[in-house]
mmCIF file with all atom_site columns, all heavy atoms in Angstrom:
data_model
loop_
_atom_site.group_PDB
_atom_site.id
_atom_site.type_symbol
_atom_site.label_atom_id
_atom_site.label_alt_id
_atom_site.label_comp_id
_atom_site.label_asym_id
_atom_site.label_entity_id
_atom_site.label_seq_id
_atom_site.pdbx_PDB_ins_code
_atom_site.Cartn_x
_atom_site.Cartn_y
_atom_site.Cartn_z
_atom_site.occupancy
_atom_site.B_iso_or_equiv
_atom_site.pdbx_formal_charge
_atom_site.auth_seq_id
_atom_site.auth_comp_id
_atom_site.auth_asym_id
_atom_site.auth_atom_id
_atom_site.pdbx_PDB_model_num
ATOM 1   N N   . VAL K 1 82 ? -2.114  -8.265  11.503  1.00 98.00 ? 82 VAL K N   1
ATOM 2   C CA  . VAL K 1 82 ? -2.808  -7.118  10.920  1.00 98.00 ? 82 VAL K CA  1
ATOM 3   C C   . VAL K 1 82 ? -4.308  -7.145  11.235  1.00 98.00 ? 82 VAL K C   1
ATOM 4   O O   . VAL K 1 82 ? -4.926  -6.106  11.453  1.00 98.00 ? 82 VAL K O   1
ATOM 5   C CB  . VAL K 1 82 ? -2.548  -7.126  9.388   1.00 98.00 ? 82 VAL K CB  1
ATOM 6   C CG1 . VAL K 1 82 ? -3.541  -6.260  8.649   1.00 98.00 ? 82 VAL K CG1 1
ATOM 7   C CG2 . VAL K 1 82 ? -1.138  -6.651  9.108   1.00 98.00 ? 82 VAL K CG2 1
ATOM 8   N N   . PHE K 1 83 ? -4.884  -8.347  11.243  1.00 98.00 ? 83 PHE K N   1
ATOM 9   C CA  . PHE K 1 83 ? -6.340  -8.443  11.424  1.00 98.00 ? 83 PHE K CA  1
ATOM 10  C C   . PHE K 1 83 ? -6.765  -8.505  12.882  1.00 98.00 ? 83 PHE K C   1
ATOM 11  O O   . PHE K 1 83 ? -7.885  -8.137  13.208  1.00 98.00 ? 83 PHE K O   1
ATOM 12  C CB  . PHE K 1 83 ? -6.894  -9.682  10.696  1.00 98.00 ? 83 PHE K CB  1
ATOM 13  C CG  . PHE K 1 83 ? -7.194  -9.421  9.246   1.00 98.00 ? 83 PHE K CG  1
ATOM 14  C CD1 . PHE K 1 83 ? -6.282  -9.731  8.252   1.00 98.00 ? 83 PHE K CD1 1
ATOM 15  C CD2 . PHE K 1 83 ? -8.407  -8.840  8.862   1.00 98.00 ? 83 PHE K CD2 1
ATOM 16  C CE1 . PHE K 1 83 ? -6.560  -9.475  6.908   1.00 98.00 ? 83 PHE K CE1 1
ATOM 17  C CE2 . PHE K 1 83 ? -8.701  -8.581  7.533   1.00 98.00 ? 83 PHE K CE2 1
ATOM 18  C CZ  . PHE K 1 83 ? -7.767  -8.901  6.558   1.00 98.00 ? 83 PHE K CZ  1
ATOM 19  N N   . SER K 1 84 ? -5.881  -8.993  13.767  1.00 95.00 ? 84 SER K N   1
ATOM 20  C CA  . SER K 1 84 ? -6.360  -9.305  15.114  1.00 95.00 ? 84 SER K CA  1
ATOM 21  C C   . SER K 1 84 ? -6.627  -8.056  15.966  1.00 95.00 ? 84 SER K C   1
ATOM 22  O O   . SER K 1 84 ? -7.424  -8.106  16.879  1.00 95.00 ? 84 SER K O   1
ATOM 23  C CB  . SER K 1 84 ? -5.394  -10.243 15.825  1.00 95.00 ? 84 SER K CB  1
ATOM 24  O OG  . SER K 1 84 ? -4.128  -9.654  15.835  1.00 95.00 ? 84 SER K OG  1
ATOM 25  N N   . ASP K 1 85 ? -5.975  -6.916  15.651  1.00 90.00 ? 85 ASP K N   1
ATOM 26  C CA  . ASP K 1 85 ? -6.182  -5.778  16.570  1.00 90.00 ? 85 ASP K CA  1
ATOM 27  C C   . ASP K 1 85 ? -7.058  -4.663  15.984  1.00 90.00 ? 85 ASP K C   1
ATOM 28  O O   . ASP K 1 85 ? -7.267  -3.647  16.635  1.00 90.00 ? 85 ASP K O   1
ATOM 29  C CB  . ASP K 1 85 ? -4.835  -5.202  17.027  1.00 90.00 ? 85 ASP K CB  1
ATOM 30  C CG  . ASP K 1 85 ? -4.120  -4.465  15.918  1.00 90.00 ? 85 ASP K CG  1
ATOM 31  O OD1 . ASP K 1 85 ? -4.480  -4.668  14.741  1.00 90.00 ? 85 ASP K OD1 1
ATOM 32  O OD2 . ASP K 1 85 ? -3.212  -3.674  16.218  1.00 90.00 ? 85 ASP K OD2 1
ATOM 33  N N   . THR K 1 86 ? -7.537  -4.821  14.772  1.00 96.00 ? 86 THR K N   1
ATOM 34  C CA  . THR K 1 86 ? -8.369  -3.766  14.172  1.00 96.00 ? 86 THR K CA  1
ATOM 35  C C   . THR K 1 86 ? -9.509  -4.403  13.401  1.00 96.00 ? 86 THR K C   1
ATOM 36  O O   . THR K 1 86 ? -9.319  -5.425  12.752  1.00 96.00 ? 86 THR K O   1
ATOM 37  C CB  . THR K 1 86 ? -7.534  -2.921  13.169  1.00 96.00 ? 86 THR K CB  1
ATOM 38  O OG1 . THR K 1 86 ? -6.431  -2.377  13.859  1.00 96.00 ? 86 THR K OG1 1
ATOM 39  C CG2 . THR K 1 86 ? -8.343  -1.794  12.565  1.00 96.00 ? 86 THR K CG2 1
ATOM 40  N N   . LYS K 1 87 ? -10.669 -3.767  13.470  1.00 97.00 ? 87 LYS K N   1
ATOM 41  C CA  . LYS K 1 87 ? -11.791 -4.240  12.653  1.00 97.00 ? 87 LYS K CA  1
ATOM 42  C C   . LYS K 1 87 ? -11.826 -3.352  11.406  1.00 97.00 ? 87 LYS K C   1
ATOM 43  O O   . LYS K 1 87 ? -12.033 -2.144  11.502  1.00 97.00 ? 87 LYS K O   1
ATOM 44  C CB  . LYS K 1 87 ? -13.078 -4.087  13.485  1.00 97.00 ? 87 LYS K CB  1
ATOM 45  C CG  . LYS K 1 87 ? -14.351 -4.406  12.763  1.00 97.00 ? 87 LYS K CG  1
ATOM 46  C CD  . LYS K 1 87 ? -14.949 -5.715  13.247  1.00 97.00 ? 87 LYS K CD  1
ATOM 47  C CE  . LYS K 1 87 ? -16.224 -6.056  12.487  1.00 97.00 ? 87 LYS K CE  1
ATOM 48  N NZ  . LYS K 1 87 ? -15.987 -6.621  11.167  1.00 97.00 ? 87 LYS K NZ  1
ATOM 49  N N   . TYR K 1 88 ? -11.574 -3.957  10.256  1.00 98.00 ? 88 TYR K N   1
ATOM 50  C CA  . TYR K 1 88 ? -11.566 -3.169  9.018   1.00 98.00 ? 88 TYR K CA  1
ATOM 51  C C   . TYR K 1 88 ? -12.966 -3.128  8.405   1.00 98.00 ? 88 TYR K C   1
ATOM 52  O O   . TYR K 1 88 ? -13.680 -4.133  8.405   1.00 98.00 ? 88 TYR K O   1
ATOM 53  C CB  . TYR K 1 88 ? -10.588 -3.775  7.999   1.00 98.00 ? 88 TYR K CB  1
ATOM 54  C CG  . TYR K 1 88 ? -9.171  -3.792  8.526   1.00 98.00 ? 88 TYR K CG  1
ATOM 55  C CD1 . TYR K 1 88 ? -8.606  -4.966  8.990   1.00 98.00 ? 88 TYR K CD1 1
ATOM 56  C CD2 . TYR K 1 88 ? -8.436  -2.615  8.608   1.00 98.00 ? 88 TYR K CD2 1
ATOM 57  C CE1 . TYR K 1 88 ? -7.317  -4.983  9.516   1.00 98.00 ? 88 TYR K CE1 1
ATOM 58  C CE2 . TYR K 1 88 ? -7.148  -2.619  9.136   1.00 98.00 ? 88 TYR K CE2 1
ATOM 59  C CZ  . TYR K 1 88 ? -6.604  -3.803  9.578   1.00 98.00 ? 88 TYR K CZ  1
ATOM 60  O OH  . TYR K 1 88 ? -5.342  -3.806  10.100  1.00 98.00 ? 88 TYR K OH  1
ATOM 61  N N   . ASP K 1 89 ? -13.302 -1.974  7.857   1.00 98.00 ? 89 ASP K N   1
ATOM 62  C CA  . ASP K 1 89 ? -14.580 -1.867  7.150   1.00 98.00 ? 89 ASP K CA  1
ATOM 63  C C   . ASP K 1 89 ? -14.449 -2.386  5.722   1.00 98.00 ? 89 ASP K C   1
ATOM 64  O O   . ASP K 1 89 ? -15.425 -2.824  5.128   1.00 98.00 ? 89 ASP K O   1
ATOM 65  C CB  . ASP K 1 89 ? -15.043 -0.409  7.150   1.00 98.00 ? 89 ASP K CB  1
ATOM 66  C CG  . ASP K 1 89 ? -15.351 0.064   8.562   1.00 98.00 ? 89 ASP K CG  1
ATOM 67  O OD1 . ASP K 1 89 ? -16.286 -0.476  9.163   1.00 98.00 ? 89 ASP K OD1 1
ATOM 68  O OD2 . ASP K 1 89 ? -14.621 0.932   9.086   1.00 98.00 ? 89 ASP K OD2 1
ATOM 69  N N   . ALA K 1 90 ? -13.243 -2.281  5.164   1.00 98.00 ? 90 ALA K N   1
ATOM 70  C CA  . ALA K 1 90 ? -13.024 -2.756  3.790   1.00 98.00 ? 90 ALA K CA  1
ATOM 71  C C   . ALA K 1 90 ? -11.534 -2.939  3.543   1.00 98.00 ? 90 ALA K C   1
ATOM 72  O O   . ALA K 1 90 ? -10.700 -2.425  4.301   1.00 98.00 ? 90 ALA K O   1
ATOM 73  C CB  . ALA K 1 90 ? -13.585 -1.749  2.785   1.00 98.00 ? 90 ALA K CB  1
ATOM 74  N N   . VAL K 1 91 ? -11.237 -3.657  2.465   1.00 98.00 ? 91 VAL K N   1
ATOM 75  C CA  . VAL K 1 91 ? -9.839  -3.867  2.049   1.00 98.00 ? 91 VAL K CA  1
ATOM 76  C C   . VAL K 1 91 ? -9.687  -3.388  0.607   1.00 98.00 ? 91 VAL K C   1
ATOM 77  O O   . VAL K 1 91 ? -10.568 -3.613  -0.225  1.00 98.00 ? 91 VAL K O   1
ATOM 78  C CB  . VAL K 1 91 ? -9.467  -5.372  2.139   1.00 98.00 ? 91 VAL K CB  1
ATOM 79  C CG1 . VAL K 1 91 ? -8.076  -5.624  1.565   1.00 98.00 ? 91 VAL K CG1 1
ATOM 80  C CG2 . VAL K 1 91 ? -9.534  -5.859  3.590   1.00 98.00 ? 91 VAL K CG2 1
ATOM 81  N N   . ILE K 1 92 ? -8.589  -2.684  0.337   1.00 99.00 ? 92 ILE K N   1
ATOM 82  C CA  . ILE K 1 92 ? -8.199  -2.419  -1.059  1.00 99.00 ? 92 ILE K CA  1
ATOM 83  C C   . ILE K 1 92 ? -6.962  -3.278  -1.304  1.00 99.00 ? 92 ILE K C   1
ATOM 84  O O   . ILE K 1 92 ? -5.942  -3.122  -0.618  1.00 99.00 ? 92 ILE K O   1
ATOM 85  C CB  . ILE K 1 92 ? -7.898  -0.929  -1.308  1.00 99.00 ? 92 ILE K CB  1
ATOM 86  C CG1 . ILE K 1 92 ? -9.126  -0.068  -0.980  1.00 99.00 ? 92 ILE K CG1 1
ATOM 87  C CG2 . ILE K 1 92 ? -7.484  -0.719  -2.762  1.00 99.00 ? 92 ILE K CG2 1
ATOM 88  C CD1 . ILE K 1 92 ? -8.933  1.430   -1.257  1.00 99.00 ? 92 ILE K CD1 1
ATOM 89  N N   . HIS K 1 93 ? -7.080  -4.169  -2.269  1.00 98.00 ? 93 HIS K N   1
ATOM 90  C CA  . HIS K 1 93 ? -6.039  -5.191  -2.454  1.00 98.00 ? 93 HIS K CA  1
ATOM 91  C C   . HIS K 1 93 ? -5.212  -4.930  -3.720  1.00 98.00 ? 93 HIS K C   1
ATOM 92  O O   . HIS K 1 93 ? -5.587  -5.309  -4.820  1.00 98.00 ? 93 HIS K O   1
ATOM 93  C CB  . HIS K 1 93 ? -6.723  -6.561  -2.514  1.00 98.00 ? 93 HIS K CB  1
ATOM 94  C CG  . HIS K 1 93 ? -5.799  -7.696  -2.791  1.00 98.00 ? 93 HIS K CG  1
ATOM 95  N ND1 . HIS K 1 93 ? -4.483  -7.720  -2.373  1.00 98.00 ? 93 HIS K ND1 1
ATOM 96  C CD2 . HIS K 1 93 ? -6.004  -8.874  -3.442  1.00 98.00 ? 93 HIS K CD2 1
ATOM 97  C CE1 . HIS K 1 93 ? -3.926  -8.856  -2.776  1.00 98.00 ? 93 HIS K CE1 1
ATOM 98  N NE2 . HIS K 1 93 ? -4.821  -9.561  -3.421  1.00 98.00 ? 93 HIS K NE2 1
ATOM 99  N N   . PHE K 1 94 ? -4.063  -4.259  -3.498  1.00 98.00 ? 94 PHE K N   1
ATOM 100 C CA  . PHE K 1 94 ? -3.142  -3.965  -4.609  1.00 98.00 ? 94 PHE K CA  1
ATOM 101 C C   . PHE K 1 94 ? -2.028  -4.999  -4.717  1.00 98.00 ? 94 PHE K C   1
ATOM 102 O O   . PHE K 1 94 ? -1.454  -5.169  -5.792  1.00 98.00 ? 94 PHE K O   1
ATOM 103 C CB  . PHE K 1 94 ? -2.413  -2.630  -4.364  1.00 98.00 ? 94 PHE K CB  1
ATOM 104 C CG  . PHE K 1 94 ? -3.249  -1.397  -4.449  1.00 98.00 ? 94 PHE K CG  1
ATOM 105 C CD1 . PHE K 1 94 ? -3.537  -0.653  -3.320  1.00 98.00 ? 94 PHE K CD1 1
ATOM 106 C CD2 . PHE K 1 94 ? -3.726  -0.950  -5.667  1.00 98.00 ? 94 PHE K CD2 1
ATOM 107 C CE1 . PHE K 1 94 ? -4.288  0.512   -3.394  1.00 98.00 ? 94 PHE K CE1 1
ATOM 108 C CE2 . PHE K 1 94 ? -4.473  0.220   -5.757  1.00 98.00 ? 94 PHE K CE2 1
ATOM 109 C CZ  . PHE K 1 94 ? -4.763  0.948   -4.617  1.00 98.00 ? 94 PHE K CZ  1
ATOM 110 N N   . ALA K 1 95 ? -1.658  -5.611  -3.587  1.00 98.00 ? 95 ALA K N   1
ATOM 111 C CA  . ALA K 1 95 ? -0.404  -6.369  -3.546  1.00 98.00 ? 95 ALA K CA  1
ATOM 112 C C   . ALA K 1 95 ? -0.359  -7.456  -4.608  1.00 98.00 ? 95 ALA K C   1
ATOM 113 O O   . ALA K 1 95 ? -1.292  -8.243  -4.745  1.00 98.00 ? 95 ALA K O   1
ATOM 114 C CB  . ALA K 1 95 ? -0.234  -6.989  -2.153  1.00 98.00 ? 95 ALA K CB  1
ATOM 115 N N   . GLY K 1 96 ? 0.726   -7.488  -5.352  1.00 98.00 ? 96 GLY K N   1
ATOM 116 C CA  . GLY K 1 96 ? 0.879   -8.535  -6.360  1.00 98.00 ? 96 GLY K CA  1
ATOM 117 C C   . GLY K 1 96 ? 2.062   -8.225  -7.264  1.00 98.00 ? 96 GLY K C   1
ATOM 118 O O   . GLY K 1 96 ? 2.512   -7.078  -7.332  1.00 98.00 ? 96 GLY K O   1
ATOM 119 N N   . LEU K 1 97 ? 2.534   -9.269  -7.937  1.00 98.00 ? 97 LEU K N   1
ATOM 120 C CA  . LEU K 1 97 ? 3.619   -9.078  -8.904  1.00 98.00 ? 97 LEU K CA  1
ATOM 121 C C   . LEU K 1 97 ? 2.997   -8.732  -10.252 1.00 98.00 ? 97 LEU K C   1
ATOM 122 O O   . LEU K 1 97 ? 1.910   -9.211  -10.586 1.00 98.00 ? 97 LEU K O   1
ATOM 123 C CB  . LEU K 1 97 ? 4.447   -10.371 -9.008  1.00 98.00 ? 97 LEU K CB  1
ATOM 124 C CG  . LEU K 1 97 ? 5.146   -10.790 -7.712  1.00 98.00 ? 97 LEU K CG  1
ATOM 125 C CD1 . LEU K 1 97 ? 5.813   -12.161 -7.880  1.00 98.00 ? 97 LEU K CD1 1
ATOM 126 C CD2 . LEU K 1 97 ? 6.187   -9.747  -7.306  1.00 98.00 ? 97 LEU K CD2 1
ATOM 127 N N   . LYS K 1 98 ? 3.713   -7.916  -11.062 1.00 96.00 ? 98 LYS K N   1
ATOM 128 C CA  . LYS K 1 98 ? 3.042   -7.405  -12.261 1.00 96.00 ? 98 LYS K CA  1
ATOM 129 C C   . LYS K 1 98 ? 3.896   -7.288  -13.523 1.00 96.00 ? 98 LYS K C   1
ATOM 130 O O   . LYS K 1 98 ? 3.494   -6.641  -14.490 1.00 96.00 ? 98 LYS K O   1
ATOM 131 C CB  . LYS K 1 98 ? 2.426   -6.050  -11.951 1.00 96.00 ? 98 LYS K CB  1
ATOM 132 C CG  . LYS K 1 98 ? 3.444   -4.971  -11.635 1.00 96.00 ? 98 LYS K CG  1
ATOM 133 C CD  . LYS K 1 98 ? 2.779   -3.615  -11.576 1.00 96.00 ? 98 LYS K CD  1
ATOM 134 C CE  . LYS K 1 98 ? 3.752   -2.484  -11.460 1.00 96.00 ? 98 LYS K CE  1
ATOM 135 N NZ  . LYS K 1 98 ? 4.507   -2.163  -12.660 1.00 96.00 ? 98 LYS K NZ  1
#
Side-chain angles (χ1 to χ4, degrees):
V82 163
F83 275 96
S84 56
D85 71 343
T86 302
K87 175 108 181 79
Y88 299 103
D89 295 295
V91 174
I92 301 182
H93 176 32
F94 291 111
L97 297 174
K98 65 170 188 73

